Amino acid sequence: MNKGFISNGRGNNVTIFDMKTLKATGTATTEMNHDDITYDRVSSRVFAFNGRSSSAPAIDAKTGKVVATIPLPGKPEFAVTDGKGKIYNNIEDTNEIVEIDAATAKVTKSTR
């Protein structure tokens, strides 16, 4: 694949670039103010976690297109994948953790 992804929170997009040349090859439009982006190898998706819009767009890493936007119960911060298709994110303003199924792009569990 040889692609990299950079978070541009103030620009409300993710820059896609070629990892050999470091040249931008495109952008994926996200919602407002993402702090964190995370790649899930199982689904081949990049997830941007948007603080102001309380959501997480799922970007197909191969095409660079947003394939889903996941509504979240509050302001997300940083995420981690388990290597098996699940992503965990802490929701800052509600003091909870959500589990996201990367393949279906849905919240499957919450600590609330």
Side-chain angles (χ1 to χ4, degrees):
M1 187 169 63
N2 202 37
K3 293 181 184 180
F5 298 83
I6 298 171
S7 170
N8 301 312
R10 289 185 188 209
N12 301 328
N13 65 51
V14 170
T15 297
I16 304 162
F17 68 95
D18 182 288
M19 291 183 61
K20 288 184 182 175
T21 66
L22 302 182
K23 294 188 185 215
T25 59
T27 59
T29 301
T30 62
E31 292 180 338
M32 298 186 325
N33 191 36
H34 50 276
D35 286 336
D36 181 42
I37 59 174
T38 300
Y39 175 69
D40 174 66
R41 183 177 297 200
V42 174
S43 65
S44 295
R45 291 177 171 176
V46 175
F47 293 82
F49 291 90
N50 302 319
R52 281 200 195 114
S53 54
S54 299
S55 63
I59 303 164
D60 182 307
K62 293 176 187 162
T63 66
K65 305 292 182 198
V66 174
V67 295
T69 299
I70 306 161
L72 297 171
K75 293 181 176 185
E77 276 296 315
F78 295 100
V80 63
T81 64
D82 69 356
K84 298 175 186 175
K86 302 289 186 197
I87 299 171
Y88 298 89
N89 188 276
N90 65 306
I91 306 299
E92 178 182 42
D93 56 338
T94 61
N95 297 319
E96 65 187 296
I97 297 170
V98 293
E99 175 189 84
I100 296 169
D101 182 305
T104 63
K106 295 189 185 299
V107 172
T108 52
K109 288 183 187 174
S110 169
T111 57
R112 285 233 168 207

